Amino acid sequence: MKNYKIKGIAMSCILFFFTQLHAQKFESLAQTPPMGWNSWNKFQADINEQLIKETADVIVSSGMRDAGYIYLVLDDGWMAPVRDEKTGDLVADPKKFPHGMKAIADYIHSKGLKFGIYNCAGTKTCQGLPGTRGYEYQDARLYASWDVDYLKFDWCYSDKQNAEESYTTMGKALLSAKRPMIFSICELGTNKPWIWGAKMGHLWRTTDDIGVQFDGYIDHKTWKQLSIMTMIDQQVGLEKYAGKGHWNDPDMLEVGNGLTASEDRLHFSMWCMLAAPLMSGNDLTKMSQTTKEILMNKDVIAIDQDPLGFQAFRYSNEDSVQVWFKPLQNDEWAACFFNRSSVTKNINFNWQRENVNDTLHKKSLPTASANFNLYDLWKKKNIGNTRNPLNVNLAPHDVLLIRLSR
Ligand code: GLA
């Protein structure tokens, strides 16, 4: 018996060693969707030391850190236009970051946060700064020496590169630098990263860039920014690719950047339903009370961070009203109803007649045999149970987000 046990342990050790040998990423990271702040949506390349330090301070003082927003990510624009002549290393822009990146990392870490940085798989970043192509291992070592915890890796100036190969190379480079970093694949969905991204990455962008727009898109002639609704449309069917340690990324949040309060609530609700990474993208130093209440609604964040790690599926889409469901731990569920149109819509949802079935995760909502209480996560109150039909009016662009529990 004893012998049998020892053999079992030895086998597990060998198996563990073998999987580590073949590991293509830091497996234990991003077990729930990563949360944090990224400089791009609000500031684009106009970033500097003072802004980043103030942002780090306010993440803590506002309560964002304690709500889970841990990763502070510097997007494009942190670098000098050329690599170091002698070493070939990337250099921080000396005007914007006079004390260099390690000093920024130390400051961010001193606040109990984690530090993220940006580059591109191509020869240049989207802003024309030095890209990583040909420098993958060198850049990974440099980031490790700066104590970087998260790398967002974009896809500009990648010309004829093969996406899967390029991201595999960078993933291996990060592993060999031996500092655990979340690897955020920002390939924009062109080469279907949801099919291969989980091998080397922890999240992958599924679309082009988001903009401050509710529906349709913002046309910049040579490129388009997508709206909240277009983003949501493009997530349908991708739920099977998401799970612990590997998430679909419908881009960073625009909450607090100019949408109405109900649009912001809808946007945030749906990102949480989708188990999307929650990277805030607003000016945290100037957040309104409404923005704070949205970004830090802990019950809504709990839907995103649910330990099962399931992405919601679209249950129905009729007459501009969509209904989405997401199974949660302990046999609870989240339900999201939203109104895409510009007129008020009446919702009449008879729980006893509907057949909510998540075939992917083999979970169904047993409203015939069990009674679920309905808790409105924005109004923070009970609104009935599943014995009775739900009957509510939804204002234009508004959302109803419910947690169902027995
Ligand atoms: C791309 C990305 C954005 C941002 C910019 C930076 O457009 O999709 O999220 O990183 O590049 O230039």
Side-chain angles (χ1 to χ4, degrees):
M1 179 66 184
K2 219 177 182 182
N3 216 349
Y4 190 67
K5 246 187 181 170
I6 292 169
K7 268 189 194 158
I9 294 169
M11 277 305 283
S12 325
C13 289
I14 292 168
L15 209 67
F16 177 75
F17 183 68
F18 195 70
T19 47
Q20 289 304 299
L21 259 184
H22 290 271
Q24 292 185 49
K25 69 177 182 186
F26 294 101
E27 293 289 350
S28 60
L29 300 178
Q31 293 302 294
T32 58
M35 294 175 66
W37 178 86
N38 176 299
S39 51
W40 184 255
N41 280 0
K42 180 69 188 177
F43 298 99
Q44 286 85 54
D46 193 12
I47 51 176
N48 58 55
E49 205 168 280
Q50 194 190 339
L51 170 75
I52 299 306
K53 283 180 154 182
E54 278 174 14
T55 302
D57 293 347
V58 82
I59 291 184
V60 179
S61 63
S62 64
M64 291 277 287
R65 180 191 66 186
D66 292 345
Y69 296 87
I70 293 294
Y71 288 92
L72 195 164
V73 182
L74 272 60
D75 209 285
D76 210 349
W78 64 266
M79 281 176 239
V82 285
R83 286 176 179 269
D84 183 287
E85 252 178 44
K86 286 196 195 112
T87 62
D89 277 344
L90 293 165
V91 183
D93 183 314
K95 283 205 193 85
K96 295 175 174 175
F97 295 98
H99 299 94
M101 281 301 125
K102 181 68 171 79
I104 287 288
D106 289 348
Y107 192 84
I108 290 171
H109 287 138
S110 77
K111 299 280 158 180
L113 300 168
K114 291 185 182 286
F115 172 45
I117 212 161
Y118 164 99
N119 208 325
C120 250
T123 51
K124 291 181 197 170
T125 74
C126 301
Q127 294 297 300
L129 296 165
T132 288
R133 181 71 166 157
Y135 291 88
E136 288 82 358
Y137 284 77
Q138 180 167 356
D139 288 357
R141 280 195 301 273
L142 183 67
Y143 301 148
S145 77
W146 288 344
D147 293 340
V148 170
D149 306 296
Y150 184 115
L151 174 67
K152 172 174 169 182
F153 208 50
D154 211 336
W155 190 233
C156 281
Y157 296 94
S158 51
D159 206 13
K160 295 195 176 75
Q161 284 173 231
N162 175 296
E164 184 174 347
E165 275 171 25
S166 301
Y167 284 94
T168 302
T169 304
M170 193 63 204
K172 284 185 181 156
L174 291 178
L175 267 186
S176 81
K178 295 200 168 61
R179 180 172 172 91
M181 286 181 221
I182 287 190
F183 188 29
S184 158
I185 297 175
C186 180
E187 187 272 346
L188 311 179
T190 334
N191 292 285
K192 298 200 166 86
W194 45 88
I195 292 175
W196 45 264
K199 283 188 270 179
M200 73 299 274
H202 301 94
L203 59 154
W204 49 84
R205 281 274 297 276
T206 53
T207 63
D208 278 329
D209 288 8
I210 196 167
V212 187
Q213 174 98 358
F214 181 72
D215 210 342
Y217 52 84
I218 307 168
D219 194 352
H220 298 280
K221 302 293 176 222
T222 51
W223 63 290
K224 289 187 176 97
Q225 269 177 300
L226 306 183
S227 62
I228 308 306
M229 284 298 132
T230 316
M231 288 294 181
I232 294 171
D233 291 342
Q234 294 189 12
Q235 308 314 306
V236 177
L238 294 185
E239 52 271 17
K240 65 170 174 281
Y241 300 104
K244 290 180 182 198
H246 51 98
W247 310 100
N248 288 307
D249 173 11
D251 208 357
M252 302 167 298
L253 297 165
E254 291 286 16
V255 173
N257 280 343
L259 298 166
T260 67
S262 61
E263 290 168 348
D264 269 350
R265 274 195 299 272
L266 196 169
H267 171 24
F268 195 68
S269 302
M270 275 308 297
W271 261 236
C272 292
M273 290 295 285
L274 293 166
L278 298 179
M279 301 303 287
S280 52
N282 53 318
D283 183 347
L284 299 186
T285 65
K286 297 197 177 87
M287 268 194 290
S288 70
Q289 190 53 30
T290 310
T291 299
K292 284 185 192 168
E293 281 167 12
I294 295 173
L295 287 175
M296 288 187 269
N297 182 320
K298 66 177 183 11
D299 293 334
V300 178
I301 293 173
I303 303 295
D304 182 73
Q305 298 287 305
D306 186 82
L308 287 186
F310 294 166
Q311 178 172 326
F313 68 99
R314 188 163 71 184
Y315 176 76
S316 63
N317 178 19
E318 276 163 41
D319 192 24
S320 295
V321 173
Q322 296 196 17
V323 186
W324 291 67
F325 278 97
K326 171 175 174 156
L328 305 173
Q329 69 171 358
N330 302 328
D331 290 327
E332 299 195 334
W333 286 73
C336 185
F337 299 76
F338 68 80
N339 176 3
R340 188 176 190 155
S341 80
S342 47
V343 292
T344 297
K345 296 277 177 182
N346 178 258
I347 314 260
N348 198 318
F349 196 84
N350 188 333
W351 303 94
Q352 298 301 319
R353 287 202 204 122
E354 303 286 343
N355 182 15
V356 178
N357 195 357
D358 183 341
T359 49
L360 175 66
H361 301 111
K362 300 191 174 46
K363 297 254 181 196
S364 47
L365 182 64
T367 44
S369 57
N371 183 31
F372 287 80
N373 288 316
L374 309 176
Y375 186 74
D376 180 331
L377 297 179
W378 290 116
K379 297 224 170 79
K380 300 178 195 265
K381 60 172 195 188
N382 285 311
I383 54 163
N385 56 51
T386 51
R387 280 201 199 101
N388 305 306
L390 174 77
N391 197 325
V392 286
N393 285 330
L394 261 193
H397 301 185
D398 211 351
V399 67
L400 172 64
L401 184 65
I402 305 174
R403 187 171 184 120
L404 293 94
S405 42
R406 294 182 212 203

